[in-house]
């Protein structure tokens, strides 16, 4: 569900409330953009734009930022101001909650290092690689601003901070490869693909007194698990039709080393499903592939013919999750949309993540 912009006939009316945004989904406050590389190019606060987008973005400005969608923008809009503004708002929120001496939940989804590729002046050229590399450095700075605010307010010792990515790097990796950096590491594929390079991302948790500094965890988790984790921390009982694929990370954060979930299901941009259980990963569809990630993290050897019993088991488990509408214990739920498990196709990226 995304923003629903009010319309008058065929035209969007920007001075009217926008519906179906974060404040309609349980958040008390929202500040950000709709999608940073799509119009309207303006900030949104709660359910209104902060400045009316009365101008049209210059084509040269859009091209420089790697934005190929023209449209309306607020007067004076600059892509390079997005991240500093969002970081400043996050710091303001932390300061305000600290003064109120109230527990808080801050969801700070960064727009970087995604398009638009417009680092702030202080970070332009800083990486020596590309504008994307500069944005990675600026993203690190933004996280530092949040951590500094927590420390300044005396909150760092009792605050769970989770830092992660929503997907792998995009396929525009040539400048990084030239600089000697493999953006997908040993993994195959990039963002939007079904391979590990599309879905395996960093997940860093900091919680002094709970998470042991410098510790690592090799258990299988999903970003879906953040919801059940927050529910357990706050003592909230989730209803049967919420977080149907979310398992609490609390045992792992406390240092336990045991599986919290049986498997993880992933999905590519072109509609292909995969399911991982332990060392085995099955890519479903009319072209079935089975990989042993313990011995072949690069997903180079399809072992489906050698292990038909594993293919059958994982296919049945995936189908059960679909039929049940959930992977957690509980009553069956309806899926939000029809699920096609045998879609034609397998991948839209090169075999080798560095090709």
């Amino acid at each position: 569900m995304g923003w629903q912009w009010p319309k008058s006939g065929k035209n969007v009316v920007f001075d009217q409330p926008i519906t179906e945004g974060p404040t309609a989904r349980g958040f008390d406050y929202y500040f950000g953009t709709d999608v940073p590389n799509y119009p309207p190019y303006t900030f949104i606060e709660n359910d209104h734009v902060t400045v009316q987008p009365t101008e049209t973005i210059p084509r040269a400005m859009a091209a420089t930022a790697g934005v190929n969608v023209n449209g309306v923008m607020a007067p004076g809009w600059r892509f390079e101001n997005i991240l500093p503004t969002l970081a400043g708002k996050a710091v303001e929120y932390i300061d305000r909650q600290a003064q109120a001496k109230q527990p808080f939940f801050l969801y700070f989804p960064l727009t970087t290092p995604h398009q638009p590729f417009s680092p702030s002046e202080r970070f332009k050229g800083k990486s020596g690689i590309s504008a994307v590399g500069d944005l990675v450095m600026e993203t690190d700075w933004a996280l530092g601003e949040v951590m500094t605010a927590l420390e300044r307010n005396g909150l760092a010792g009792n605050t769970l901070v989770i830092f992660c990515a929503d997907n792998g790097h995009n396929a525009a990796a040539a400048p990084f490869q030239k600089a000697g950096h493999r953006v997908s590491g040993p993994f195959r594929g990039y963002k939007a693909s079904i391979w590990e390079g599309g879905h395996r991302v960093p997940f860093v948790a900091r919680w002094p007194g709970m998470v042991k500094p410098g510790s690592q965890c090799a258990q299988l988790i999903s970003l879906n698990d953040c919801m059940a984790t927050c529910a357990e921390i706050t003592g909230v009982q989730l209803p049967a039709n919420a977080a149907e694929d979310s398992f609490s990370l609390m045992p792992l954060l406390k240092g336990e080393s045991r599986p919290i979930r049986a498997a993880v299901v992933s999905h590519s941009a072109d509609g292909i499903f995969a399911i991982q259980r332990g060392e085995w990963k099955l890519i479903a569809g009319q072209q079935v592939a089975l990989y042993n990630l313990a011995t072949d993290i690069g997903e180079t050897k399809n072992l489906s013919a050698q292990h038909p019993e594993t293919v059958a088991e994982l296919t049945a488990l995936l189908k059960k999750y679909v039929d049940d509408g959930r992977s957690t214990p509980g009553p069956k739920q309806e899926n939000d949309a029809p699920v096609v498990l045998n879609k034609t196709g397998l991948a839209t990226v090169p075999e080798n993540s560095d090709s």
Side-chain angles (χ1 to χ4, degrees):
M1 208 57 155
W3 295 100
Q4 298 293 316
W5 292 88
K7 293 184 178 181
S8 176
K10 295 182 179 180
N11 298 318
V12 176
V13 183
F14 293 106
D15 61 354
Q16 297 298 313
I18 317 162
T19 59
E20 305 303 334
T23 54
R25 292 289 180 265
F27 284 89
D28 297 317
Y29 176 78
Y30 173 79
F31 184 91
T33 64
D34 182 353
V35 180
N37 56 317
Y38 280 80
Y41 300 111
T42 186
F43 284 118
I44 301 169
E45 188 166 27
N46 293 323
D47 61 354
H48 278 80
V49 298
T50 59
V51 178
Q52 290 291 312
T54 56
E55 298 182 0
T56 301
I57 186 172
R59 290 183 179 274
M61 177 181 172
T64 300
V67 173
N68 54 12
V69 181
N70 296 314
V72 294
M73 73 173 194
W77 181 257
R78 294 292 180 268
F79 289 122
E80 58 266 32
N81 293 337
I82 295 177
L83 182 58
T85 301
L86 296 182
K89 285 288 185 178
V91 169
E92 288 177 11
Y93 178 77
I94 292 171
D95 290 342
R96 188 164 60 249
Q97 292 302 116
Q99 289 295 318
K101 301 187 184 304
Q102 292 292 323
F104 63 91
F105 174 84
L106 170 63
Y107 177 46
F108 184 29
L110 300 167
T111 57
T112 59
H114 192 275
Q115 293 169 300
F117 302 139
S118 295
S120 300
E121 193 63 39
R122 62 186 289 196
F123 288 97
K124 285 182 180 178
K126 199 171 182 66
S127 69
I129 297 176
S130 66
V132 179
D134 299 340
L135 280 176
V136 171
M137 298 184 72
E138 189 167 5
T139 300
D140 182 69
W141 163 83
L143 176 62
E145 292 293 287
V146 170
M147 294 305 304
T148 298
L150 292 173
E151 292 165 359
R152 184 179 65 249
N153 287 291
L155 301 174
N158 191 35
T159 299
L160 169 60
V161 178
I162 295 175
F163 180 78
C164 56
D166 59 348
N167 49 247
H169 195 283
N170 67 24
F176 292 91
Q177 293 164 3
K178 185 178 180 180
H181 176 64
R182 302 174 64 190
V183 296
S184 290
F187 310 126
R188 179 179 178 180
Y190 302 103
K191 170 184 176 179
S193 72
I194 199 61
W195 313 110
E196 291 297 279
H199 294 272
R200 188 178 290 229
V201 296
F203 185 96
V204 182
R206 182 187 187 277
W207 196 0
M210 183 68 70
V211 177
K212 183 180 179 181
S215 59
Q216 297 183 12
C217 178
Q219 296 298 329
L220 187 64
I221 68 170
S222 169
L223 295 185
N224 294 336
D225 299 331
C226 290
M227 187 168 182
T229 305
C230 291
E232 180 172 348
I233 292 172
T234 56
V236 172
Q237 181 67 43
L238 292 170
N241 63 346
E244 301 98 321
D245 298 298
S246 186
F247 294 81
S248 175
L249 297 169
M250 282 302 294
L252 305 183
L253 295 175
K254 292 177 180 179
E256 296 184 33
S257 183
R258 61 177 177 82
I260 62 166
R261 52 161 60 243
V264 161
V265 175
S266 52
H267 186 258
S268 73
D270 51 3
I272 304 300
F273 281 90
I275 182 168
Q276 180 183 344
R277 185 186 65 183
E279 62 190 15
W280 292 106
K281 175 180 176 180
L282 175 77
I283 298 180
Q286 291 188 4
Q287 290 178 261
V288 173
L290 179 71
Y291 299 98
N292 187 315
L293 299 182
T295 59
D296 180 26
I297 195 61
E299 298 173 281
T300 62
K301 300 175 183 177
N302 182 356
L303 302 177
S304 58
Q306 293 92 320
H307 298 274
E309 72 290 346
T310 304
V311 171
E313 290 173 5
L314 291 178
T315 300
L317 182 59
L318 178 58
K319 187 175 186 304
K320 181 181 186 304
Y321 287 167
V322 172
D323 291 343
D324 291 348
R326 67 186 314 137
S327 55
T328 56
K332 288 187 176 184
Q333 300 295 321
E334 292 292 328
N335 294 305
D336 294 333
V339 179
V340 180
L341 294 180
N342 62 344
K343 186 170 181 178
T344 302
L346 184 61
T348 57
V349 298
E351 287 284 322
N352 189 308
S353 64
D354 280 337
S355 60

